[in-house]
Amino acid sequence: MADYKNVSKLNSIDLSSPHIPTSVSLLKQACIDSGFFYVTNHGISEEFMDEVFAESKKFFELPLEEKMKLLRNEKHRGYTPVLDELLDPANQLHGDHKEGFYIGIELPEDDPEAQRTFYGPNLWPDSDILPGWRQTMEKYHQKALEVVKKIARLIALSLDLDANFFEKPEMLGKPIAVLRLLHYGGQVSDPLKGIYGAGAHSDYGLITLLATDSVSGLQICKDKDAEPRVWESVEPLKGAFVVNLGDMLERWSNCLFRSTLHRVLGNGQERYSIPYFVEPSHDCVVECLPTCHSKQNPPKFPPIKCETYLLQRYQETHADLSTYNKH
């Protein structure tokens, strides 16, 4: 078990720093090295983050029958029970020992865009049961997107693109942004027995903004082809977000930037985390960026539409909804 004790030394990017070249340089190094880094002074107060975590905890403390009334639908909104998600089928005995709740971009049923795969109305707990819960989550959803846009500007500069490259309408102008509340119930993970809080995986999209409580558990593997894999812990840093890059950005950058394998090992303590997954619009075509290929380094991936790619990845990792007996 010795290789689980390594602690990763991640770069920390101060989003309020006036010295942009330093931030871009630190970020670029992190993106090439592991695709993981911290961001500080991001503009969301610790008091508000405490409120978001407190509200998340209230939801997961509801009786299972209440949570199952909000079971994940075809739009990937709502509650995902323990074991629903299987991220690493080659190494996992069962699904992940975590439960979650998906909240996406809220669109009314009559909006023409609401028919898109990852858009539409969210599922919300009854306001009589959790008053103010929806308002807190919607506020956080908006604030987190603003932080992601700040990070995306630095990423664009680090790829020798215009700072506002990712803010185009087909990208972060109309993003697929999914907030996911997660609760790990205190199960002790055992990799030798295939038991994990969250199995090894890379994220699918552009950027993931991760808020965690003070309980450790997140680990990264910088070289997925190494045998055996070497895992390093990413420790919580108070007041900071952990940011990691997704597979789409790896494709966009022609593998210059990394979408690194990560997993969660439970240590017997309850743990709460809140990842915020940001992808471009449904119709955005993800293809090698102009600054990331040359005659000597041609594009490694064919272009693919964002919606097509995401659907494929979600279907690979989530239980079929028909397996749940709905009453």
Side-chain angles (χ1 to χ4, degrees):
M1 295 284 279
D3 63 340
Y4 303 153
K5 300 300 178 193
N6 300 332
V7 175
S8 199
K9 303 280 190 289
L10 298 185
N11 284 355
S12 186
I13 318 297
D14 181 347
L15 289 186
S16 69
S17 170
H19 200 257
I20 302 293
T22 302
S23 299
V24 170
S25 168
L26 279 170
L27 179 138
K28 184 168 187 173
Q29 186 211 327
C31 291
I32 291 170
D33 178 40
S34 68
F36 270 77
F37 51 92
Y38 297 109
V39 293
T40 58
N41 296 316
H42 40 70
I44 301 182
S45 72
E46 281 193 46
E47 292 75 22
F48 182 59
M49 287 311 305
D50 289 345
E51 183 187 328
V52 175
F53 273 98
E55 293 296 320
S56 171
K57 190 171 185 222
K58 282 181 196 171
F59 172 79
F60 290 117
E61 285 173 344
L62 292 174
L64 183 60
E65 65 194 68
E66 281 298 324
K67 292 183 284 194
M68 287 300 281
K69 288 177 187 173
L70 299 167
L71 181 68
R72 170 177 62 88
N73 62 19
E74 289 77 7
K75 296 269 194 182
H76 293 283
R77 306 297 173 92
Y79 177 63
T80 53
V82 176
L83 308 183
D84 175 82
E85 195 172 11
L86 184 64
L87 290 168
D88 185 15
N91 293 301
Q92 281 180 269
L93 185 63
H94 306 293
D96 291 354
H97 282 276
K98 68 176 192 295
E99 54 181 341
F101 194 87
Y102 281 113
I103 301 166
I105 302 274
E106 178 76 24
L107 284 182
E109 288 273 17
D110 57 1
D111 188 307
E113 287 286 295
Q115 301 314 309
R116 304 304 298 260
T117 315
F118 296 98
Y119 276 178
N122 283 299
L123 300 177
W124 296 107
D126 194 307
S127 59
D128 292 343
I129 297 172
L130 292 176
W133 197 88
R134 172 177 178 169
Q135 290 75 9
T136 299
M137 295 308 163
E138 288 188 323
K139 183 179 171 186
Y140 180 66
H141 201 292
Q142 290 168 345
K143 283 178 173 286
L145 186 58
E146 291 310 308
V147 176
V148 166
K149 286 180 177 176
K150 290 179 194 173
I151 298 164
R153 293 177 76 81
L154 295 177
I155 287 174
L157 291 170
S158 71
L159 289 167
D160 300 318
L161 301 163
D162 287 341
N164 59 1
F165 179 83
F166 291 108
E167 288 175 36
K168 295 173 183 172
E170 71 272 20
M171 292 189 189
L172 296 184
K174 291 186 76 176
I176 297 169
V178 179
L179 174 60
R180 195 167 186 206
L181 310 174
L182 293 176
H183 171 231
Y184 298 85
Q187 171 94 20
V188 177
S189 295
D190 187 343
L192 298 177
K193 292 183 179 169
I195 298 169
Y196 296 88
H201 65 287
S202 54
D203 290 348
Y204 317 149
L206 177 61
I207 302 173
T208 303
L209 187 71
L210 176 69
T212 71
D213 62 13
S214 58
V215 179
S216 301
L218 176 64
Q219 299 183 332
I220 62 174
C221 171
K222 291 179 182 172
D223 182 0
K224 59 187 168 203
D225 299 320
E227 282 293 338
R229 286 176 177 165
V230 177
W231 292 93
E232 302 175 15
S233 292
V234 174
E235 292 301 306
L237 183 64
K238 190 154 178 61
F241 287 114
V242 176
V243 177
N244 66 281
L245 310 183
D247 299 333
M248 281 188 202
L249 192 51
E250 185 171 276
R251 288 175 82 108
W252 254 318
S253 70
N254 215 19
C255 296
L256 171 66
F257 285 180
R258 304 273 299 284
S259 170
T260 288
L261 276 182
H262 51 287
R263 68 183 187 184
V264 174
L265 289 194
N267 61 7
Q269 289 177 278
E270 270 192 290
R271 179 176 180 268
Y272 292 87
S273 72
I274 305 175
Y276 183 73
F277 303 102
V278 179
E279 287 99 20
S281 74
H282 287 76
D283 294 321
C284 181
V285 176
V286 179
E287 58 186 327
C288 188
L289 296 166
T291 55
C292 295
H293 65 89
S294 62
K295 271 189 179 165
Q296 296 74 35
N297 183 28
K300 295 177 175 64
F301 303 97
I304 189 167
K305 203 166 84 162
C306 173
E307 180 177 25
T308 309
Y309 183 73
L310 284 179
L311 261 178
Q312 191 180 310
R313 296 296 299 272
Y314 271 84
Q315 283 162 357
E316 287 166 0
T317 55
H318 286 73
D320 190 316
L321 284 171
S322 65
T323 60
Y324 293 105
N325 183 13
K326 292 185 183 178
H327 295 288

